[in-house]
Amino acid sequence: MKDSFGREIHYLRVSLTDRCNFRCVYCMPAKGNFYAPLPHLLTDAELIRLIRIAATIGFDRIRLTGGEPTIRPNLVNIVQGIAEIPGIKEIAMTTNAVKLEQIAEPLARVGLKRVNISIDTLDAERFHKMTRFGQLDQVWRGILAAERAGLKPIKLNSVVVRGHNEEDIVDLARLTLEHEWDMRFIEVMPLGAIADFQMESVVPVAEMRLRIESALGKLEPLDWDGHNPARPHRLRGGLGTIGFISSVTEPFCAGCDRMRLNADGRLRLCLLRDNEVDLLAPLRAGASDDDLRELMQGGVWNKPWGHGLAEHVIAETRIMSQIGG
Ligand code: SAM
Ligand code: SF4
């Protein structure tokens, strides 16, 4: 289905929960309750129903995210339920990997195809400081478990935050020399309660690239489909790739093909704008599949052209963990 700007929208990022076992400095404030009451979140059956309806209007790629999607109860059954929906071609997940050692294999068995894993530094102390709870070795074991389970290609996400981990991107980039992993460096994006800190913490992609090339040599650009927000590059002799996601300094809204279903049943039309369509209230009030389909189609049509960061328009109603990144 096309939006009003002619973009083909077929990729749905589904937040399974707004809760998390980390509290990363660039995602959540140190204190405060950012969790909706549990009855306000979609049940398993509601979630599957909405994805089934979304599939009938052309959504064929699903990414599970959160909060931390692996702490959602019944995750394996949910993935299996989505895999059985006609029209769904791919299910992937973005995770902090803490629980992957236990569940990568069962998830792969029921239809999960790939994972993106967040890892912001290879220094255990800085990792703990950035995530406020995380143990690096646990995440590392999760990455290896995902690889063993065949959830490939493994993509690693690193949000680069001034004063926290900009020194670490060279070590992370070096991983691609020995592993077939796709390493992606992300500019920190501003949202909600910590937008000021996030704006002050942006490390521009141009600087990230310079740091990597100064230490490890030239990055060769590879072919690119224009939709993946990170154009891939390779270091000479590298097995994996390196990409940069530059939402702040070089927006890629023209190639956007995605929408988000938040854990509380709101269809979010653009990550960095507050426009949302409430699906939960009509669903619980007895709306038919056709009614819900029409609401989704309206949301796709009304998808904004792009974010307004250049004009200092900051989405205020949610933080990243409440949307799904
Ligand atoms: N908990 C999972 C994880 O961390 O991978 C999934 C949810 S998380 C919100 C999804 C992605 O958003 C992660 O790659 C995370 O690093 C990224 N993210 C979180 N806050 C961000 C921010 N302010 N700017 C850019 N990326 C952010
Ligand atoms: Fe949790 Fe992911 Fe946000 Fe970190 S980035 S606090 S792991 S939701």
Side-chain angles (χ1 to χ4, degrees):
M1 160 159 205
K2 287 195 164 69
D3 72 1
S4 63
F5 300 99
R7 293 172 297 190
E8 195 74 50
I9 309 298
H10 66 111
Y11 174 26
L12 189 62
R13 295 178 69 100
V14 177
S15 172
L16 294 184
T17 176
D18 56 0
R19 281 130 168 96
C20 192
N21 41 7
F22 285 2
R23 210 167 166 125
C24 301
V25 292
Y26 49 78
C27 181
M28 297 180 80
K31 292 202 177 83
N33 179 10
F34 291 88
Y35 299 158
L38 282 175
H40 294 198
L41 304 185
L42 291 168
T43 64
D44 296 0
E46 289 169 340
L47 188 77
I48 301 283
R49 180 174 171 208
L50 289 179
I51 298 175
R52 179 172 289 117
I53 296 169
T56 65
I57 60 168
F59 284 97
D60 57 3
R61 280 180 65 200
I62 303 291
R63 174 168 296 276
L64 305 175
T65 176
E68 176 46 41
T70 59
I71 64 174
R72 168 109 185 189
N74 295 330
L75 178 61
V76 174
N77 290 341
I78 292 173
V79 171
Q80 184 162 23
I82 299 171
E84 286 166 1
I85 295 174
I88 299 298
K89 294 192 187 134
E90 184 188 81
I91 310 171
M93 182 170 72
T94 300
T95 171
N96 63 25
V98 165
K99 295 187 78 176
L100 278 188
E101 197 176 16
Q102 289 79 42
I103 56 168
E105 169 63 32
L107 286 172
R109 232 181 296 127
V110 295
L112 186 72
K113 288 283 177 279
R114 299 191 291 111
V115 280
N116 288 16
I117 294 173
S118 299
I119 180 163
D120 302 318
T121 166
L122 297 178
D123 179 280
E125 224 170 277
R126 279 199 288 281
F127 185 83
H128 185 69
K129 195 167 163 216
M130 281 188 85
T131 57
R132 296 199 180 100
F133 292 99
Q135 303 293 335
L136 182 64
D137 58 339
Q138 207 176 13
V139 171
W140 191 257
R141 290 200 302 274
I143 297 173
L144 299 181
E147 198 170 39
R148 277 197 306 279
L151 297 173
K152 293 193 268 194
I154 303 267
K155 291 192 180 178
L156 302 181
N157 289 341
S158 170
V159 179
V160 184
V161 185
R162 179 79 69 205
H164 279 269
N165 65 337
E166 73 264 50
E167 304 284 340
D168 299 321
I169 61 180
V170 171
D171 285 344
L172 287 163
R174 202 179 273 119
L175 290 175
T176 66
L177 292 172
E178 290 180 9
H179 301 273
E180 264 180 280
W181 297 343
D182 298 334
M183 185 72 232
R184 292 133 40 99
F185 296 103
I186 305 173
E187 284 177 346
V188 62
M189 291 176 249
L191 270 171
I194 49 171
D196 288 347
F197 162 76
Q198 288 161 322
M199 278 315 268
E200 283 162 18
S201 310
V202 174
V203 176
V205 154
E207 178 183 331
M208 300 181 198
R209 185 192 293 265
L210 194 64
R211 282 177 181 269
I212 294 171
E213 291 196 320
S214 307
L216 302 174
K218 200 161 168 34
L219 285 163
E220 307 288 347
L222 302 172
D223 286 346
W224 181 43
D225 68 8
H227 291 297
N228 179 346
R231 182 180 186 142
H233 298 75
R234 203 186 288 284
L235 288 169
R236 183 180 291 258
L239 301 178
T241 69
I242 294 175
F244 301 93
I245 301 186
S246 55
S247 326
V248 180
T249 63
E250 300 163 23
F252 39 84
C253 306
C256 189
D257 58 359
R258 61 197 59 192
M259 306 250 294
R260 295 173 161 82
L261 179 61
N262 295 340
D264 59 2
R266 267 71 172 177
L267 194 63
R268 188 163 176 108
L269 313 186
C270 166
L271 170 62
L272 294 170
R273 287 199 187 260
D274 285 325
N275 316 43
E276 295 180 349
V277 175
D278 182 7
L279 300 175
L280 184 78
L283 186 155
R284 290 192 178 168
S288 68
D289 285 4
D290 283 343
D291 297 337
L292 293 165
R293 187 176 299 113
E294 210 170 293
L295 284 169
M296 286 184 196
Q297 284 169 323
V300 171
W301 185 254
N302 290 320
K303 183 174 164 60
W305 163 249
H307 67 65
L309 294 184
E311 300 91 54
H312 307 288
V313 177
I314 307 281
E316 285 175 345
T317 55
R318 295 179 189 264
I319 56 173
M320 195 66 96
S321 59
Q322 295 169 317
I323 306 172

